[in-house]
Amino acid sequence: MNVILLGPPGVGKGTAAKKMVEVYGIPQISTGDLLREAVKNKTDLGLKAKKYMDAGELVPDDLVIGLLKERVAKDDCRKGFILDGFPRTIPQAESLDASGIRIDVVVNLHADESVIVERLSGRRDCPKCGAIYHIKNKPPKKPDTCDACQGALITRDDQKEEVIQNRLQVYRKQTEPLIRYYEKKGIQKTVNAVQTIEKVFADIQKAVGQA
Ligand code: AP5
């Protein structure tokens, strides 16, 4: 099963993808995580990507497409994968089509912007194991400490108020047109993301089951 999770920053793509990994046993491929890893390791690509990411802009298509294709070609993707944060532009979607990689369903997570801003500003990440928390909606048992691996939780660099606003603007302009793109292909399903994490996941399972 090859799935795309589409939706604005902070809508809950990463949270849902992690549950899907547990249940379906297929990997989550987050271009955001791949890029942050490249930035951390100071690779050529990471050094180029950093300035875009810190400003809330998209990293140029050619850099991200190469990164994604390399990842999808790995053995663990043979049974399927969850694309989280890719594609994010029409050229990225077209390049995915051109590469012959089949997509079964595109789950479009929807929430109003006020909800998104609240979710993004309260998010905390574990840089060690990738777990995602929220200070109100999904707090860790011990403040600022990951339940799973005891790592120290961090606030991402792109969570500043002005960067969040730019990310939302970039989403509206460059990524939202993908909803129509996949609607036309007949594989797009919208899920209401303004529900509990469990309910959102249950609706995703229904959407994926119908694919
Ligand atoms: P990326 O890492 O992909 O970030 P994003 O899409 O902006 O999404 P987030 O990870 O911020 O949010 P999310 O939707 O996963 O929500 P989450 O589950 O964390 O990209 C970062 C940057 O990398 C981009 O700006 C760009 O520069 C670059 N990039 C990445 N991909 C690219 C591409 N393809 N092309 C070009 N550039 C690219 O949830 C948010 C919070 O809400 C959490 O605290 C969570 O606990 C909480 N929450 C989640 N679900 C619920 C719920 N149902 N109820 C209550 N709280 C909830």
Side-chain angles (χ1 to χ4, degrees):
M1 177 175 65
N2 300 343
V3 183
I4 291 175
L5 288 181
L6 194 64
V11 74
K13 301 182 296 296
T15 301
K18 284 183 173 47
K19 281 192 162 282
M20 292 174 82
V21 170
E22 276 170 41
V23 172
Y24 297 113
I26 52 175
Q28 167 197 14
I29 302 177
S30 157
T31 38
D33 289 347
L34 292 175
L35 288 164
R36 277 185 289 277
E37 188 65 21
V39 170
K40 198 171 94 190
N41 295 333
K42 297 194 167 70
T43 64
D44 278 356
L45 188 147
L47 294 173
K48 283 182 195 147
K50 188 175 184 326
K51 65 171 189 283
Y52 298 98
M53 296 175 76
D54 287 350
E57 297 292 331
L58 295 185
V59 174
D61 287 336
D62 57 333
L63 298 182
V64 186
I65 289 168
L67 195 67
L68 189 274
K69 282 189 184 159
E70 210 175 278
R71 179 63 188 88
V72 172
K74 292 203 171 153
D75 271 359
D76 64 339
C77 293
R78 276 211 214 123
K79 277 197 325 192
F81 51 77
I82 305 144
L83 293 185
D84 159 12
F86 187 96
R88 247 177 162 97
T89 62
I90 296 284
Q92 289 182 13
E94 287 170 347
S95 112
L96 195 60
D97 289 344
S99 68
I101 297 167
R102 187 194 78 246
I103 298 298
D104 300 307
V105 60
V106 177
V107 178
N108 169 35
L109 293 176
H110 177 78
D112 286 341
E113 288 197 2
S114 56
V115 174
I116 286 164
V117 172
E118 193 267 332
R119 285 188 184 174
L120 278 177
S121 40
R123 186 176 67 199
R124 299 291 179 271
D125 288 77
C126 176
K128 242 166 103 185
C129 74
I132 305 169
Y133 297 88
H134 189 280
I135 49 172
K136 274 203 280 182
N137 307 334
K138 195 183 177 227
K141 292 192 184 99
K142 236 169 57 191
D144 301 321
T145 308
C146 179
D147 295 346
C149 75
Q150 308 305 310
L153 301 183
I154 57 152
T155 304
R156 256 165 51 179
D157 289 343
D158 60 1
Q159 269 174 247
K160 295 184 202 99
E161 175 67 28
E162 66 278 15
V163 180
I164 290 176
Q165 289 306 332
N166 193 41
R167 285 165 68 194
L168 288 170
Q169 210 176 325
V170 167
Y171 170 78
R172 283 193 294 269
K173 207 168 144 203
Q174 301 196 57
T175 308
E176 214 168 42
L178 288 173
I179 298 174
R180 186 81 197 104
Y181 181 90
Y182 286 115
E183 229 167 44
K184 279 198 208 150
K185 289 184 182 287
I187 55 171
Q188 192 271 144
K189 313 248 179 215
T190 295
V191 165
N192 173 16
V194 193
Q195 312 184 78
T196 62
I197 292 173
E198 290 68 30
K199 187 76 181 61
V200 171
F201 183 60
D203 284 358
I204 291 176
Q205 284 187 294
K206 278 187 215 148
V208 164
Q210 288 160 15

